[in-house]
Every structure is written in C-alpha cells, then in structure tokens.
Amino acid sequence: MGFNSVNIELYSISESLQDLFLYSGKYRPEIYLDENVRSGISTFALLASADEIATGCQRLAADINTGRITEIINKYENNHGDYLFVIADKVAT
C-alpha cells in the first residue's frame, strides 16, 4: 500500500490569529501568562508540571518586561513555516 502523491503545505502563524493553540502566542506571548489560556492548550494542561509552568511564566514575564521578547521572536523568524501539513493521496486498492 502506498501513495500516489505526497505534498507538503507550509503554515505560518499570522498576527491576527484568533484560535488558541500551542503556538498561538507567537506574536502575543503575553497570552501564555493567562492561566485560562494555558488550561486550554493541551501541552500546558497535560504535559507540563506546575513548577515548569511557574518558572516558564516568570521567565516569559521578565522577557516581556525588559523587551527581550522581541529579540527572541525575531531570532526564530524564518520562511519555512511554523507548522507543516502533509497531504497524501492513497493508492486505490
């Protein structure tokens, strides 16, 4: 069993994004400081410990307050997309 074709489609987070998933705060990192936002993001809700979240939020708040967050955001800008969709057409059987 295989595929007739496999294609990829890059997806980049837009600054006007309204959905709240893991990378939704790319341009608005302060949303991660909101416990209500974090509780709806499975990575925070299911995978991170309370200590890890507390430490991360403290560090994020410091980076936001000093303006360093802009440097960090710019460091990770690229033309490769933030996510990748794989589109595959299955071979008919």
Side-chain angles (χ1 to χ4, degrees):
M1 195 176 272
F3 299 101
N4 285 326
S5 65
V6 176
N7 297 298
I8 60 171
E9 183 176 321
L10 302 177
Y11 177 78
S12 295
I13 302 299
S14 75
E15 292 188 46
S16 61
L17 181 71
Q18 294 182 11
D19 291 342
L20 296 177
F21 55 91
L22 181 59
Y23 208 26
S24 58
K26 177 180 178 180
Y27 296 106
R28 298 176 298 138
E30 66 279 356
I31 69 169
Y32 298 123
L33 300 176
D34 183 336
E35 184 177 353
N36 291 321
V37 171
R38 288 193 315 271
S39 69
I41 298 174
S42 62
T43 303
F44 290 109
L46 302 174
L47 301 176
S49 71
D51 288 341
E52 183 179 25
I53 291 172
T55 300
C57 285
Q58 289 172 349
R59 293 175 68 183
L60 175 60
D63 287 342
I64 291 170
N65 290 334
T66 63
R68 184 170 181 268
I69 195 66
T70 302
E71 175 187 330
I72 295 167
I73 290 170
N74 290 337
K75 178 180 177 181
Y76 291 98
E77 280 297 314
N78 66 69
N79 295 323
H80 305 293
D82 299 312
Y83 289 93
L84 177 70
F85 293 105
V86 177
I87 305 153
D89 294 322
K90 183 177 153 183
V91 171
T93 56

